[in-house]
Amino acid sequence: MKKYWRLILLAVVSLSLLAVVMVPAIDWMTSNVKSAEVVHNSRMQPVILIPGSSASQERFNTLITMLNKQTTGHSLLKITVQTDGTLKYSGQIARNDNEPYIVVAFENNKDGYANIKKQAKWFSIAFKQLAKTYQFNRFRGIGHSNGGLIYTLFLEKYFDPKDVTLSRLMTIGTPYNLEESNIENRTQMLSDMISARKALPTNLTVYSIAGTENLDGDGTVPISSVEAGKYIFQNQVKHYTQITVSGDDASHSDLPQNQQIVSLISQYIVSTPNQRGVQPNGNTRQPNGAGVGRTPGD
């Protein structure tokens, strides 16, 4: 019996000693993991833009020019994803540019849900290559028209928030219910996006911009179709805000050049407006925004 109690006492003492050792160790590990998470944030946080259907990699040239009149030190890299998944580059990211603009367009830029799903897959190919080449694990996004749909499908199907952080997304004139003006008539695409909404990153802030050339919409996309985005993002992401702009340049094709929207991008998407010591165009101002860094494959 004495031997039995000795074994129990020994076990209790051993467990107590183990606890004394483990608690500080766990605290140390927790502290170091938090420190590692802080260090893990990459220096670069690009703004990646996706144009809509029938638009090329040149779609945002005017927008970038307008932004660069308000800010300094942001270079421009343009990519077109071919149907076989290969990438064609134009422009460069400047040395020391922590927040370049990157435009990703598609060789097959046609409309339609079937094509939009293909474009989301092609964007995932380009995104993985960009993240690997430039070693960033955080970014912000802008999608005009169907570009916002491509972003949404990408986030729901291909994006892994454990590897990369998308903190803010701005969609401009995005037809979440395609050309349908009656929200009661949900398209297959909208239904699919709503069904897959749980895959969206919960720490994301979304700004959905609608244009109103008239009371119904921007002349191409019904405003109710833009508003349908709330069924996808509300109560799923961290913040969802819809903003409506009107007046000059509020038609669908003019929205990326709308001065109100340019100001909203400067306010909500561009995190470091003025980057000192960065010369995105070398010593001269070039219309394509070519930088002084290297283009992948050079």
Side-chain angles (χ1 to χ4, degrees), residues 42 44 46 48 102 127 130-131 134-139 164:
S42 60
M44 181 182 289
I48 303 180
I102 302 176
F127 181 81
L130 285 168
Y134 295 104
Q135 299 181 348
F136 63 82
N137 57 18
R138 56 191 185 126
F139 72 108
V164 187

Side-chain angles (χ1 to χ4, degrees), residues 6-293:
R6 285 175 185 170
L7 290 173
I8 293 177
L9 182 60
L10 181 61
V12 171
V13 171
S14 299
L15 289 173
S16 298
L17 290 173
L18 183 62
V20 170
V21 174
M22 286 296 293
V23 169
I26 291 172
D27 289 341
W28 179 85
M29 290 174 63
T30 302
S31 175
N32 277 270
V33 166
K34 288 181 179 179
S35 298
E37 287 177 349
V38 173
V39 174
H40 185 62
N41 283 340
S42 60
R43 175 185 62 82
M44 181 182 289
Q45 181 179 223
V47 176
I48 303 180
L49 304 93
I50 305 179
S53 295
S54 302
S56 72
Q57 64 179 27
E58 312 301 329
R59 179 65 179 91
F60 296 109
N61 286 357
T62 301
L63 167 63
I64 302 300
T65 298
M66 294 175 73
L67 285 171
N68 281 340
K69 287 181 179 179
Q70 301 177 15
T71 62
T72 58
H74 298 267
S75 51
L76 173 60
L77 175 66
K78 294 178 279 193
I79 297 170
T80 297
V81 187
Q82 308 298 295
T83 54
D84 62 359
T86 58
L87 311 181
K88 285 190 175 180
Y89 295 86
S90 173
Q92 296 173 318
I93 293 178
R95 295 187 183 95
N96 302 320
D97 187 351
N98 294 336
E99 194 174 41
Y101 300 120
I102 302 176
V103 177
V104 179
F106 310 95
E107 179 185 26
N108 175 359
N109 56 11
K110 293 184 175 163
D111 199 359
Y113 185 28
N115 260 347
I116 293 169
K117 288 191 284 187
K118 291 178 183 178
Q119 290 154 1
K121 182 176 181 179
W122 288 324
F123 177 70
S124 73
I125 294 172
F127 181 81
K128 288 177 183 177
Q129 184 59 52
L130 285 168
K132 179 180 178 182
T133 300
Y134 295 104
Q135 299 181 348
F136 63 82
N137 57 18
R138 56 191 185 126
F139 72 108
R140 296 184 175 192
I142 298 174
H144 173 236
S145 191
N146 284 1
L149 302 178
I150 295 167
Y151 251 123
T152 305
L153 288 173
F154 164 73
L155 292 174
E156 291 185 341
K157 189 169 183 180
Y158 302 103
F159 182 69
D160 188 349
K162 295 191 296 294
D163 296 332
V164 187
T165 298
L166 172 60
S167 57
R168 297 188 178 190
L169 171 65
M170 179 177 289
T171 61
I172 304 170
T174 294
Y176 293 103
N177 203 26
L178 296 178
E179 297 176 359
E180 181 56 60
S181 58
N182 186 351
I183 192 57
E184 298 300 323
N185 299 327
R186 291 186 177 178
T187 62
Q188 185 63 53
M189 183 190 71
L190 177 58
S191 298
D192 290 347
M193 288 182 173
I194 293 173
S195 296
R197 66 198 298 266
K198 294 295 183 185
L200 292 169
T202 55
N203 62 343
L204 175 63
T205 294
V206 177
Y207 302 95
S208 176
I209 313 298
T212 55
E213 186 183 45
N214 51 54
L215 295 178
D216 298 322
D218 58 22
T220 300
V221 176
I223 193 168
S224 59
S225 184
V226 177
E227 292 173 343
K230 65 185 177 183
Y231 299 108
I232 302 168
F233 295 106
Q234 270 186 353
N235 301 319
Q236 182 57 42
V237 299
K238 185 177 180 180
H239 299 292
Y240 172 79
T241 303
Q242 183 180 311
I243 302 170
T244 302
V245 300
S246 59
D248 294 338
D249 297 328
S251 64
H252 187 71
S253 61
D254 289 334
L255 289 176
Q257 296 85 247
N258 180 287
Q259 186 57 61
Q260 296 178 71
I261 293 177
V262 174
S263 296
L264 289 171
I265 292 172
S266 295
Q267 180 178 359
Y268 295 121
I269 300 298
V270 179
S271 62
T272 311
N274 299 308
Q275 299 188 104
R276 295 181 179 179
V278 179
Q279 295 182 342
N281 302 317
N283 295 320
T284 59
R285 185 174 293 274
Q286 300 176 21
N288 68 349
V292 295

